Amino acid sequence: MSQAIVFSQLTRQFKRPKGEPLTALHELTLTIESGQVFGLLGPNGSGKTTTVNLLSGLLKPTSGSVQVCGIDVSANVSQARAIMGVVPQETALYNDLTAHENLVFHARLYSVPAPERQKRIGAALELVGLTDRQHDRVGTYSGGMQRRLALARALLTQPAVVVLDEPTLGVDVQSRAALWERIREIAAEGNTVLLTTNYMEEAQVLADNLAILDHGRLIAQ
């Protein structure tokens, strides 16, 4: 089995106006194999989102490194992002556009080949159960539906690694169950999924393997 994500002594500090820097992540060393759902569990402030931001190239490490499918993220951020689909906590969708229009915009932005766009958009919408609502404005969607659309958007580039930062935060039980089903389907197709969550139940249901963070440190795996 190949290695999808490798964190090596990954540390991120933030400067503070007074006092010592805040260490949000401390020497995280962790390997995630391909083709699984890997759960990153921990309370708020444990370093989960910092880890995701380092992985996606939104932050640079203070020290250490992170690789995705053998690509060093800091050195080759564009190349690394091209093989990842990231669903952040904030969905960042355009409320005045329809779901279909949101996906068309994203597909063009990420250079999905024109002959394949409609096929990929249709498949992504079907996977997340939004085909019937694709021509409705996103502003009319519930929180759970917006989460599902954000997941569809992340899948358009056919990423090898899908990163979900607390994907069911603030959604109702029914929407959460629907998202869980979609996440299982993504992994069943051979993709690697990194899932951060506050919920032990979610981690138990979805994750093949699990790491627990607290105060920026890996405390169990």
Side-chain angles (χ1 to χ4, degrees):
M1 187 176 291
S2 60
Q3 297 176 340
I5 303 170
V6 179
F7 300 105
S8 300
Q9 298 290 305
L10 191 65
T11 298
R12 173 65 193 197
Q13 294 181 326
F14 293 95
K15 293 182 180 179
R16 292 193 282 194
K18 297 180 181 180
E20 295 295 319
L22 171 66
T23 302
L25 195 66
H26 182 77
E27 296 185 354
L28 176 64
T29 296
L30 184 65
T31 297
I32 299 173
E33 304 291 346
S34 301
Q36 64 173 310
V37 178
F38 193 97
L40 203 57
L41 179 68
N44 292 333
S46 63
K48 302 187 304 297
T49 295
T50 298
T51 302
V52 167
N53 289 341
L54 289 163
L55 175 60
S56 58
L58 295 176
L59 291 174
K60 286 189 174 293
T62 303
S63 61
S65 66
V66 55
Q67 294 185 350
V68 180
C69 300
I71 300 168
D72 185 287
V73 174
S74 294
N76 302 283
V77 64
S78 295
Q79 189 178 358
R81 285 176 178 170
I83 59 173
M84 283 190 288
V86 181
V87 181
Q89 288 186 27
E90 299 296 330
T91 54
L93 298 164
Y94 294 101
N95 287 339
D96 290 335
L97 300 181
T98 67
H100 187 271
E101 289 167 342
N102 267 273
L103 295 186
V104 168
F105 176 81
H106 188 79
R108 294 176 66 180
L109 182 65
Y110 282 85
S111 302
V112 174
E116 296 183 27
R117 284 177 195 157
Q118 291 307 319
K119 181 179 178 181
R120 290 197 194 182
I121 288 170
L125 285 167
E126 184 177 358
L127 176 64
V128 300
L130 290 175
T131 302
D132 293 342
R133 294 290 304 273
Q134 64 178 301
H135 298 301
D136 294 340
R137 286 193 313 108
V138 170
T140 68
Y141 280 19
S142 68
M145 291 171 67
Q146 291 193 18
R147 292 277 184 178
R148 282 188 277 151
L149 181 59
L151 178 56
R153 180 184 61 190
L155 298 176
L156 282 180
T157 57
Q158 298 181 340
V161 175
V162 180
V163 183
L164 309 175
D165 191 12
E166 303 202 28
T168 63
L169 184 67
V171 305
D172 58 61
V173 173
Q174 185 175 1
S175 295
R176 184 180 299 175
L179 280 164
W180 285 358
E181 183 179 352
R182 305 311 179 224
I183 292 166
R184 288 193 200 96
E185 290 175 3
I186 294 167
E189 292 176 357
N191 299 291
T192 304
V193 178
L194 174 62
L195 169 81
T196 77
T197 182
N198 288 338
Y199 305 123
M200 179 65 78
E201 179 193 8
E202 187 163 74
Q204 289 177 324
V205 168
L206 291 175
D208 300 303
N209 288 292
L210 181 68
I212 301 174
L213 292 178
D214 192 26
H215 292 90
R217 294 177 181 271
L218 178 65
I219 60 171
Q221 182 180 349

